[in-house]
Amino acid sequence: MYYNWKETTNTEELKIVCNLIKNGEIVIFPTETVYGIGANAFDKKAVGKIFMAKGRPSDNPLIVHIADKRMIAEIAKEITEVEQKLIDHFMPGPFTLILKKTDKIPNIVSAGLETVAIRMPDNVIARGIITFSGVPIAAPSANISGKPSGTNLNDIRKELEGKVSAVVDGGETEIGLESTVVKVIDEVPCILRPGKVTLEEIKKVIGQADFGNGIFTPVDEDEEIETPGVKHKHYAPNVAAKLIYSENEDDLLFEINQEIKACRGDVVVLGFDEHKEKIVVAEHRFINLGSKHNLEEIAKNIFSALRKSDELGGKLILIEGVKKEGLGVAIMNRLLRSCSYNYVEL
Ligand code: AMP
Ligand code: MG
């Protein structure tokens, strides 16, 4: 069933959706980051349906979503002072914390790890569904595994309609990139996946913070890493993609136009508003990511733009990069992965 809650949440329909969750079904719903496919985190059979629907590898654990910090005690244990500080500061919000799990969390959720990822979304619809279901909700992003995360229902329905019991439409997601995933290692917060909450913001609260492996470079299959998700192919369109960045705008535009020429125009460009007139490609083959000065806008548009570029097809997708700082870290992490690290910095 499709429910439109773009304007307001319908309470009768909310009851129906929450009953589906309670009865072990899976539901697509919005959060402030991206859409999720959710199930009762305590019900391993229900969680299994998520892995089936997405075709998600069973070694990639799910994030458990809560609506109230009191829910944490049921899911996680032995919370340290640093972890508590992070919870106090960044929840609710686009922030996920890896904690030691209790036995109540089935192994399928944590992919056999001793830890569990917890997030408290800051979105009325997500909070309503979790609260009235009365259970924490395990939810990965709403997309077929390996594809860009779903940020609006147009994209999501094409991919997942018929595979879930209900779809809740809350309009375009506010942030458009998945949450920052953090694990505290030896009292230092380590960012395993960058997101809206930046390294600088975490440093302000805790005093120190680091990036984990695999943020800007691929990790080997046999390399030991803290987060399984880093290993898997992600955000990838079907057509080959190349990411280009330079602080020098002339160099950047020259390189992009050379690439376009080499492919005889059979490319799609994901570029910035300011460069629309300077990039020599057919108008319908230029996908506007927004202003180069507005990282929030770019973050919001990335996944939808990658899907659109796939539909247009061609020899190559050319993507303009941003500086790797602040929110630019998360943007570049997703773009690098979407083009399988085919990256040129001039
Ligand atoms: P998604 O649900 O698609 O947003 O992806 C969730 C991300 O969190 C993936 O990169 C997972 O590997 C990561 N994750 C979830 N649970 C854990 C955990 N217990 N330890 C480390 N990483 C985790
Ligand atoms: Mg995902």
Side-chain angles (χ1 to χ4, degrees):
M1 261 314 267
Y2 169 84
Y3 300 107
N4 185 343
W5 298 355
K6 281 191 210 174
E7 298 301 326
T8 54
T9 302
N10 177 312
T11 44
E12 279 312 302
E13 291 173 356
L14 178 64
K15 271 188 211 153
I16 298 171
V17 169
C18 294
N19 274 329
L20 287 170
I21 296 273
K22 284 183 206 164
N23 291 326
E25 299 301 331
I26 60 173
V27 167
I28 291 179
F29 64 96
T31 79
E32 78 275 35
T33 57
V34 298
Y35 274 79
I37 310 185
N40 174 356
F42 295 144
D43 181 343
K44 56 184 177 201
K45 221 165 138 195
V47 173
K49 292 180 186 173
I50 298 177
F51 282 88
M52 282 292 287
K54 281 187 61 113
R56 183 168 174 111
S58 59
D59 67 349
N60 197 3
L62 307 183
I63 295 173
V64 174
H65 295 73
I66 56 170
D68 185 323
K69 288 184 188 173
R70 282 172 297 188
M71 274 176 159
I72 296 176
E74 235 182 322
I75 306 167
K77 58 184 181 186
E78 297 165 35
I79 295 168
T80 65
E81 210 173 300
V82 174
E83 288 165 345
Q84 189 58 49
K85 249 188 180 171
L86 291 168
I87 292 168
D88 294 344
H89 264 89
F90 296 111
M91 292 189 188
F95 180 85
T96 296
L97 190 59
I98 312 286
L99 296 169
K100 204 173 266 182
K101 84 173 189 72
T102 64
D103 292 339
K104 277 202 93 172
I105 293 293
N107 282 332
I108 186 169
V109 171
S110 61
L113 299 171
E114 293 296 306
T115 52
V116 62
I118 298 180
R119 182 164 103 81
M120 185 169 168
D122 191 9
N123 170 285
V124 184
I125 295 178
R127 298 275 285 274
I129 294 176
I130 302 164
T131 303
F132 291 102
S133 298
V135 289
I137 294 184
S141 52
N143 53 275
I144 295 289
S145 240
K147 292 284 140 202
S149 301
T151 56
N152 65 76
L153 273 192
N154 258 348
D155 291 346
I156 294 167
R157 287 178 90 175
K158 278 185 215 153
E159 230 169 80
L160 291 165
E161 183 110 84
K163 293 191 171 184
V164 299
S165 297
V167 172
V168 175
D169 195 346
E172 191 94 24
T173 53
E174 210 180 297
I175 296 173
L177 290 184
E178 309 87 339
S179 58
T180 305
V181 177
V182 170
K183 185 176 183 182
V184 178
I185 302 169
D186 297 330
E187 294 185 21
V188 181
C190 177
I191 295 184
L192 307 182
R193 176 178 73 185
K196 180 83 191 338
V197 172
T198 61
L199 186 82
E200 294 77 17
E201 287 174 80
I202 297 170
K203 273 187 179 165
K204 253 190 218 158
V205 175
I206 306 295
Q208 46 183 349
D210 283 325
F211 283 121
N213 292 335
I215 304 273
F216 298 126
T217 48
V219 288
D220 290 336
E221 273 300 312
D222 52 359
E223 198 172 330
E224 207 179 307
I225 36 151
E226 290 288 345
T227 189
V230 170
K231 269 191 317 199
H232 298 290
K233 191 177 152 96
H234 212 338
Y235 318 115
N238 294 318
V239 177
K242 184 172 184 173
L243 179 62
I244 306 178
Y245 173 73
S246 175
E247 294 214 3
N248 182 316
E249 194 158 283
D250 291 337
D251 289 353
L252 176 73
L253 292 169
F254 181 79
E255 178 72 17
I256 289 176
N257 284 325
Q258 284 292 102
E259 288 276 1
I260 296 171
K261 235 190 244 167
C263 293
R264 295 174 188 272
D266 193 20
V267 300
V268 177
V269 179
L270 268 60
F272 303 133
D273 197 32
E274 292 83 354
H275 299 160
K276 206 166 45 190
E277 309 300 328
K278 297 175 185 158
I279 291 175
V280 190
V281 71
E283 204 178 328
H284 72 284
R285 290 193 156 269
F286 181 88
I287 301 175
N288 199 332
L289 289 174
S291 167
K292 64 177 183 181
H293 301 297
N294 189 343
L295 293 182
E296 265 84 17
E297 190 184 10
I298 297 166
K300 208 170 171 161
N301 287 331
I302 284 179
F303 290 140
S304 213
L306 285 168
R307 284 169 191 278
K308 223 183 282 169
S309 61
D310 232 1
E311 278 165 25
L312 288 168
K315 274 207 185 89
L316 186 65
I317 299 170
L318 284 167
I319 310 172
E320 282 199 68
V322 297
K323 196 167 183 170
K324 293 179 194 135
E325 64 179 27
L327 182 57
V329 172
I331 292 173
M332 286 301 272
N333 167 263
R334 305 310 191 273
L335 291 177
L336 280 160
R337 295 186 68 185
S338 72
C339 67
S340 306
Y341 303 92
N342 183 12
Y343 175 55
V344 187
E345 189 166 331
L346 304 165

